[in-house]
Amino acid sequence: MRYLVTGAAGFIGFHTSLRLCQLDHQVIGLDNLNDYYDLELKKARLDQLNCVNKFSFYELDLTDISGISKLFQRKQFNRVIHLAAQPGVRYSLKNPMLYADSNLIGHLSILEACKNESVEHLIYASSSSVYGLNTKIPFSTSDNVDHPISLYAATKKSNELMSHAYSHLYGIPTTGLRFFTVYGPWGRPDMALFTFTKAILEGKTININNSGNMYRDFTYIDDIVEGIIRIQDSVPKSKKFSDQVEKSPAYSSAPYRIYNIGNGQPVNLLDFVNLLEDYIGIKAKKKFLPMQPGDLSSTHADTEDLFQAVGYRPSVSLKSGIKKFIDWYKDYYGF
C-alpha cells in the first residue's frame, strides 16, 4: 500500500517509515525540518531512509493547507500515519502559539485532506500527557481525560476530539495512539535518556526534578512501531451506540478508537539514572530540583485494549533498551 508518514524526519516517524518500507509498502515521508532540536540529527535519519528504494520525501509544513491538499490529490494515499507535531511539555509554556499552528491547524489540515481523498485509515499520535490530573493508576483509555496540565497535553486531547468529529461526520476511520515516554536509538535530544547520557559522558550535571520522586512508563521504540504496524491493519468501523460506548470515551458509534501504547512497568527516575550509570560506567553528577510545571509525577499505561484488539503487548525491558540506546549514542557521536 501507499502510506503517508508525517514527521518522517522525527524519532518515531523515522522508525515507522523504515519498518513500513521493510514490509514492502511505498512510503512518502513529510516533514518541515524545523529547528526545535538538532537539524543534523533529522537529516541523518533522512539519509538512512533515502537509501531505501520504497521511500520518498517531501519538505512541507502541515499548515500549508494548499500544499497538503495537492500532495494528497497526487499521491492518493491508502493510509496516513500522522506523527508530526510540536512536542515538549515545557516548551509549550514558553512558545504556545507554535502548538496552535503545528498541533491544531496541522492536525485539521490532515483531517481535511483525509476527508477529501477518502483515506481508508488515519492513525495519529496522541500522548500519555492527556491524563493530566488523573490519579487512578494505571491510566486507562476508559478514563476521562478532561484535566490537562500543559498546553501540549491540551492540544493532544483536542486532536482526539477533532478526529472523533470527523469520524462521525464523514465516516473517516481514525485511531489515536497515546504514547508513553518513548526512547531508543535515534531518539529526541530533548528527552531524559538523551540529555542524561550526553551530560554524564561529558562530565556535566544532570537535573533531576521533584527530587527524583517521579515514575515513567519507558517504552522502547521497537515496541511503539510494532503497535503502530499492528493497529494500522485494525481499521475502526461504525457501530450502534451501546453501553460499552457510554462507559468508555475510547469507543464510539463512529469509526474511532483510542489506544495506549506503553510498557506497563513504571520505573522510578533515580532507578533509571542508576541503570544509565551502570551501562555508561560513570557516576552522574546530580542536581535535585522541584517539580516542573506541566509535568506528570507518574505515568503507567493500561494496554489491555491494545492487546484485545491486536494481540500485542510491549515487552522490551528497560535494561535492554538503555543498552541499545547507549551503544547507538556512542557510535553516532564517536565516544
Side-chain angles (χ1 to χ4, degrees):
M1 287 189 287
R2 180 175 293 174
Y3 285 82
L4 172 68
V5 177
T6 71
F11 176 32
I12 302 174
F14 158 69
H15 282 279
T16 302
S17 297
L18 191 60
R19 179 71 183 281
L20 287 168
C21 289
Q22 291 168 347
L23 293 171
D24 210 30
H25 296 295
Q26 183 180 357
V27 178
I28 288 83
L30 180 152
D31 205 291
N32 68 356
L33 296 177
N34 67 32
D35 61 357
Y36 170 66
Y37 63 76
D38 182 14
L39 193 54
E40 292 306 310
L41 178 60
K42 295 181 181 182
K43 290 179 178 178
R45 293 178 185 137
L46 286 178
D47 287 343
Q48 297 285 314
L49 288 170
N50 286 328
C51 294
V52 180
N53 290 332
K54 294 286 184 177
F55 181 82
S56 57
F57 177 71
Y58 288 81
E59 185 176 347
L60 188 63
D61 197 286
L62 294 176
T63 59
D64 181 353
I65 296 172
S66 175
I68 293 292
S69 177
K70 289 176 182 176
L71 181 65
F72 271 72
Q73 290 171 15
R74 288 200 310 270
K75 296 299 183 181
Q76 292 296 301
F77 302 112
N78 300 109
R79 294 175 184 172
V80 173
I81 300 178
H82 175 39
L83 302 171
Q86 178 57 55
V89 167
R90 294 169 200 166
Y91 197 66
S92 71
L93 303 178
K94 300 177 181 178
N95 301 276
M97 298 311 295
L98 289 177
Y99 291 77
D101 288 340
S102 294
N103 299 7
L104 299 179
I105 295 174
H107 191 74
L108 182 58
S109 175
I110 292 295
L111 285 169
E112 272 290 295
C114 288
K115 177 196 75 175
N116 293 336
E117 302 306 322
S118 302
V119 168
E120 68 180 52
H121 192 188
L122 168 63
I123 303 96
Y124 62 94
S126 187
S127 167
S128 61
S129 67
V130 301
Y131 288 102
L133 292 177
N134 288 20
T135 57
K136 182 172 106 21
I137 296 292
F139 294 148
S140 170
T141 56
S142 64
D143 302 331
N144 286 317
V145 287
D146 295 330
H147 301 95
I149 58 173
S150 70
L151 179 64
Y152 170 70
T155 63
K156 287 300 185 178
K157 168 65 173 176
S158 298
N159 289 168
E160 296 178 0
L161 296 174
M162 294 160 70
S163 298
H164 185 272
Y166 270 68
S167 291
H168 172 73
L169 290 169
Y170 309 113
I172 304 167
T174 67
T175 300
L177 301 176
R178 294 173 179 168
F179 299 139
F180 282 68
T181 316
V182 190
Y183 74 100
W186 298 96
R188 270 175 35 205
D190 61 326
M191 298 293 283
L193 178 57
F194 206 111
T195 59
F196 286 2
T197 298
K198 182 176 187 293
I200 292 170
L201 285 169
E202 294 177 357
K204 297 178 180 177
T205 300
I206 64 172
N207 293 327
I208 298 180
N209 296 318
N210 204 34
S211 299
N213 187 26
M214 300 178 72
Y215 288 81
R216 286 292 179 268
D217 197 339
F218 292 98
T219 312
Y220 190 65
I221 183 61
D222 289 359
D223 280 333
I224 292 290
V225 173
E226 183 66 25
I228 292 171
I229 295 300
R230 294 198 185 204
I231 281 295
Q232 56 89 23
D233 273 333
S234 182
V235 183
K237 294 179 173 57
S238 298
K239 58 186 79 69
K240 291 183 180 180
F241 210 82
S242 66
D243 289 341
Q244 185 182 38
V245 173
E246 291 177 325
K247 289 176 181 176
S248 173
Y251 292 86
S252 176
S253 56
Y256 164 93
R257 280 305 309 270
I258 296 289
Y259 297 98
N260 289 333
I261 303 186
N263 189 267
Q265 299 181 55
V267 174
N268 178 269
L269 185 57
L270 291 178
D271 292 336
F272 171 73
V273 172
N274 289 338
L275 277 176
L276 268 181
E277 292 172 330
D278 289 345
Y279 281 111
I280 294 174
I282 302 172
K283 277 290 181 183
K285 301 174 183 177
K286 305 177 185 74
K287 181 179 181 181
F288 292 93
L289 299 174
M291 191 71 166
Q292 297 294 301
D295 276 357
L296 303 182
S297 61
S298 179
T299 63
H300 182 182
D302 178 345
T303 58
E304 184 61 28
D305 284 355
L306 178 70
F307 181 75
Q308 292 298 325
V310 296
Y312 178 70
R313 296 186 201 274
S315 60
V316 177
S317 71
L318 186 60
K319 287 183 178 180
S320 173
I322 284 180
K323 184 179 185 306
K324 290 177 181 178
F325 172 80
I326 292 172
D327 288 345
W328 168 82
Y329 187 95
K330 288 181 175 180
D331 179 66
Y332 183 79
Y333 289 101
F335 276 92

